[in-house]
Amino acid sequence: MALTKKEKVQLVKEYEQLLKDSENAIVLGYEAVPVSVSVAMRKEFRQNGAMYKVVKKKVFARAAKEM
């Protein structure tokens, strides 16, 4: 289901705040990561108190731009 404009605006605000509050951020292309590697990364991140989040490219780009 497609996101409404209101939902996208809310996501932009959420992503912008996450970026502001983060010391580091890693951005990578989703298609480049095998499922087994993605699952292992998620597990490793959780164990170390980090966050792994899959986001829409355009929404994330807007959040990064607005920072």
Side-chain angles (χ1 to χ4, degrees):
M1 178 163 50
L3 295 173
T4 65
K5 184 171 182 168
K6 184 177 180 179
E7 291 170 324
K8 289 178 185 177
V9 168
Q10 183 61 34
L11 283 175
V12 167
K13 289 178 184 177
E14 179 185 333
Y15 298 158
E16 186 178 350
Q17 191 61 47
L18 284 171
L19 287 170
K20 285 180 181 178
D21 294 344
S22 299
E23 291 181 27
N24 299 301
I26 299 170
V27 179
L28 58 118
Y30 183 76
E31 67 281 346
V33 181
V35 173
S36 60
V37 173
S38 179
V39 170
M41 283 191 327
R42 285 177 191 247
K43 183 178 179 182
E44 185 81 22
F45 286 167
R46 270 195 307 270
Q47 289 173 346
N48 291 295
M51 180 187 302
Y52 180 102
K53 195 162 192 82
V54 177
V55 299
K56 290 191 167 284
K57 183 172 37 178
K58 287 186 178 183
V59 176
F60 182 81
R62 179 161 299 197
K65 186 177 180 180
E66 291 185 11
M67 284 187 54

